[in-house]
């Protein structure tokens, strides 16, 4: 602390103020992180790796930062902190239509993972090879294929293009 006081005395008020603000934000983030379940903490750590990965593209970093923000500071729903995926699934499952939608989404993810895995094997590619082709980190591909995250539409399109197939060949079209 002596260094901070010396900086302040030498006219380093702006630097000190900035350090104090960052430290306050860090304290809030750390407390929020510690309140998360072990599973959520692991996701946050995975996303932090992506944010700090020099090979990650900007879209990937932005998605990772958004995931971290939502995990640490959930949006508010009806005045209460936002629901996590399990809560959302529970709420959706309370109606027949919601339950049907959840089953469809689950099946889409299963089908996607199976089809992409089969195509990678047929081409003799690794997850790292695919990641390089679509300019994302290998961990992002791993998370999609392990169904730990749901890929965005444009990511599915990039994967299809990289594998030389139509988007519908890897992502089933939803029945109306």
């Amino acid at each position: 602390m002596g260094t901070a006081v010396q900086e302040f005395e030498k006219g380093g008020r702006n630097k000190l103020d900035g350090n104090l603000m960052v430290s306050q934000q860090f304290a809030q983030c750390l407390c929020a992180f510690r309140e998360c379940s072990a599973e959520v903490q692991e996701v946050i750590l995975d996303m932090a790796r992506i944010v700090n990965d020099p090979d990650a593209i900007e879209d990937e970093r932005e998605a990772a930062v958004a995931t971290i923000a939502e995990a640490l500071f959930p949006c508010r729903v009806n005045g209460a902190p936002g629901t996590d995926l399990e809560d959302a699934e529970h709420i959706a499952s309370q109606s027949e239509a919601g339950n049907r939608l959840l089953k469809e989404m689950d099946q889409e993810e299963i089908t996607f993972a199976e089809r992409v895995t089969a195509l990678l094997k047929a081409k003799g590619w690794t997850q790292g090879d695919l990641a390089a082709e679509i300019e994302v980190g290998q961990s992002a591909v791993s998370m999609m294929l392990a169904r730990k995250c749901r890929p965005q539409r444009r990511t599915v399109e990039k994967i299809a293009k990289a594998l030389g197939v139509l988007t519908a060949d890897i992502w089933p079209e939803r029945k109306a």
Side-chain angles (χ1 to χ4, degrees), residues 98-167:
N99 202 9
R100 187 174 62 248
L101 178 62
L102 288 174
K103 285 180 182 178
E104 281 182 34
M105 291 173 66
D106 191 48
Q107 189 56 52
E108 287 172 347
E109 292 173 9
I110 291 169
T111 302
F112 169 77
E114 289 173 348
R115 289 177 180 177
V116 171
T117 300
L119 287 165
L120 289 175
K121 186 175 181 180
K123 285 179 124 356
W125 283 13
T126 64
Q127 290 179 3
D129 295 330
L130 178 60
E133 283 292 317
I134 64 170
E135 299 179 329
V136 300
Q138 183 274 330
S139 61
V141 172
S142 175
M143 288 174 49
M144 285 183 274
L145 297 182
R147 299 181 52 229
K148 291 183 179 178
C149 73
R150 188 173 174 87
Q152 295 181 355
R153 183 66 157 159
R154 66 180 173 207
T155 303
V156 174
E157 291 167 354
K158 287 180 181 181
I159 291 170
K161 183 177 179 182
L163 294 171
V165 297
L166 299 173
T167 303

Side-chain angles (χ1 to χ4, degrees), residues 16-51:
L16 178 62
D17 289 349
N19 288 342
L20 290 174
M21 287 180 10
V22 168
S23 296
Q24 182 180 10
Q25 290 172 345
F26 173 77
Q28 291 171 341
C29 291
L30 181 61
C31 288
F33 178 80
R34 291 184 57 157
E35 290 174 4
C36 296
S37 68
E39 289 174 327
V40 172
Q41 286 182 1
E42 189 59 37
V43 169
I44 292 169
L45 292 172
D46 285 342
M47 294 299 107
R49 286 183 200 96
I50 292 170
V51 170

Side-chain angles (χ1 to χ4, degrees), residues 50-119:
I50 292 170
V51 170
N52 293 308
D53 182 353
D55 296 328
I57 61 172
E58 192 59 32
D59 282 349
E60 194 175 18
R61 282 192 185 101
E62 287 176 9
V65 168
T67 301
I68 292 169
E70 182 61 25
L72 291 176
F73 308 105
C75 64
R76 294 185 128 1
V77 177
N78 296 328
T83 58
D84 65 18
L85 183 57
E86 291 170 354
D87 290 341
E89 288 174 346
H90 176 72
I91 292 166
S93 70
Q94 298 303 304
S95 71
E96 188 176 322
N99 202 9
R100 187 174 62 248
L101 178 62
L102 288 174
K103 285 180 182 178
E104 281 182 34
M105 291 173 66
D106 191 48
Q107 189 56 52
E108 287 172 347
E109 292 173 9
I110 291 169
T111 302
F112 169 77
E114 289 173 348
R115 289 177 180 177
V116 171
T117 300
L119 287 165

